[in-house]
Amino acid sequence: MPDAKVPRPLHLLSWKSPAVVAVAFVAMAAGFGQFGAVAALGDVAKSFGHLSHGGTLADQAGLSGTIVGAGLAVIRLASLGALFLTGQADRFGRRTVLLLGCAAGLVFTVAAAASPGYWWFVAIFALGRPLLSATNGVAQVSAAELTGSGDRAQAVAMVAAGYGIGAGLLAIAHSLGEGTLGFRGLFALVALPLLLLPLAARRVVETDRFTSVAHELRHPVLASVGRPYRRRLLVVALLTFGIAIMTGPANSFVFFYAQNIRHLSGGVTAAMVASAGVTGLVGLLAGRWLADHWGRRPTVALSMAGIAGCGILTYSGGDAALFVGYLLGILSGSVFAPAGGALANEVFPTEVRASIAGWYVTAAVLGAVVGLLVFGAVADLGNRFSVAAVVTFLPALPLAALLLWLPETKGTEPEQLWAPTAG
């Protein structure tokens, strides 16, 4: 039954509460583990490929763009398992899935350090991917449900910041440890957030929104979603698909491009990532303000245009373009996070919210796979990353028009958007 029938008032928290901060820490641990394949991609290619002085991408990087893109696509496709895992949060609760998913995902990520070959690495890392993807999805749901409309964008931004900090710390560790850590040492470092996870678990609480309706929820079957929600789900899923077409290759190829094609030093790469932490924070603050004052929909549209433009700049050629494009791309993605995360959770009721998050992951996976395969294949044609960026990113932009089919949720609670008979 929808939240409108709950007789007692909901106990909602501030975005600065220990419970929300703890959820952000779990997201940070997931980001630290999940970003490993991207940060270490150059080392993985060199370790399992063959370097030479030829002019092809495979000669310079160790593996061809097609093989690298295919491996990343397999890892992304593994996240489809998050569809089932996130749906379990509508059955067993947000807290249980959040903590168990994060712990198990980090264990598999650490195990990837022992990979004897490239496709072994892809397979082992792929086992942890759906668990960490589900963790990130449920973390967004938890942050949205723990808070009211005045704190929701800030809470979602904090969780996004946690994930970004985790990913950034791993990238910096890889850059500073260039030539010493290797991808094996980098993945062994993932044991650190795994050991700290029990401390955060003490502060993670079940959301009051879930406990209020838990006794009335039906058990999900592979994240099944009722008929009243399917049209809106299709719209949001298509938007997620389009964004992932851009962010998949924009984020996944950037360190491979920086280290193996532009041959940036580890120190320069670390400085680039550290600087991106600043632009990411600025983007989160700006995105939170725009989401609460301008609206969720226009903020998402603006950020989509920024992601495409900055992605094209990143791969346009030249170290300066890479540096500036990457920083502004992180800024654009961070502007998207509070508005997109709030909107995606506000337009659906509690009883299907975690299951819906699983469909978001699925749409993002499929979009990223399409983007990675197209980008990698085009980049192989004469080592033209700039052409690959234009061909991959621009066709996804028209999907922003789908925002017109969604309600503006600024200043509203999810309970206000659904009639008592929905479901």
Side-chain angles (χ1 to χ4, degrees), residues 89-127:
D90 281 337
R91 178 179 183 180
F92 299 107
R94 287 43 168 146
R95 184 180 186 275
T96 298
V97 174
L98 187 68
L99 295 175
L100 291 181
C102 186
L106 293 178
V107 168
F108 279 115
T109 304
V110 172
S115 302
Y118 176 71
W119 290 109
W120 274 100
F121 165 79
V122 170
I124 297 172
F125 192 86
L127 291 174

Side-chain angles (χ1 to χ4, degrees), residues 8-107:
R8 65 178 178 82
L10 295 169
H11 176 62
L12 302 178
L13 305 175
S14 164
W15 67 274
K16 296 179 287 187
S17 69
V20 177
V21 174
V23 171
F25 177 85
V26 177
M28 182 180 72
F32 194 83
Q34 196 167 30
F35 202 66
V38 175
L41 189 58
D43 284 342
V44 171
K46 291 176 182 177
S47 297
F48 299 129
H50 177 70
L51 295 173
S52 68
H53 297 293
T56 68
L57 179 57
D59 292 331
Q60 297 180 47
L63 294 172
S64 71
T66 300
I67 291 177
V68 171
L72 287 171
V74 169
I75 291 172
R76 290 277 185 165
L77 280 172
S79 289
L80 291 175
L83 175 62
F84 172 78
L85 295 171
T86 54
Q88 300 312 300
D90 281 337
R91 178 179 183 180
F92 299 107
R94 287 43 168 146
R95 184 180 186 275
T96 298
V97 174
L98 187 68
L99 295 175
L100 291 181
C102 186
L106 293 178
V107 168

Side-chain angles (χ1 to χ4, degrees), residues 124-216:
I124 297 172
F125 192 86
L127 291 174
R129 181 82 185 196
L131 293 157
L132 296 178
S133 294
T135 298
N136 192 39
V138 176
Q140 294 280 340
V141 171
S142 296
E145 288 187 351
L146 286 168
T147 53
S149 61
D151 289 279
R152 189 168 298 118
Q154 293 98 317
V156 171
M158 179 178 288
V159 170
Y163 183 90
I165 289 171
L169 287 175
L170 192 76
I172 291 174
H174 171 260
S175 299
L176 295 180
E178 186 179 27
T180 56
L181 274 178
F183 86 89
R184 300 186 193 278
L186 188 72
F187 278 67
L189 286 178
V190 176
L192 293 177
L194 179 61
L195 294 174
L196 294 174
L197 191 61
L199 297 178
R202 299 176 183 176
R203 293 288 188 176
V204 177
V205 300
E206 189 53 79
T207 73
D208 201 37
R209 281 191 162 99
F210 175 79
T211 56
S212 296
V213 299
H215 65 286
E216 301 175 346

Side-chain angles (χ1 to χ4, degrees), residues 36 38 40 60 103 117 138 155 197 225 231 261 276 336 370 382 396 410 413-414:
V38 175
Q60 297 180 47
V138 176
L197 191 61
V225 176
R231 180 178 297 179
I261 305 303
F336 167 81
V370 170
K410 177 188 69 173
E413 297 295 349

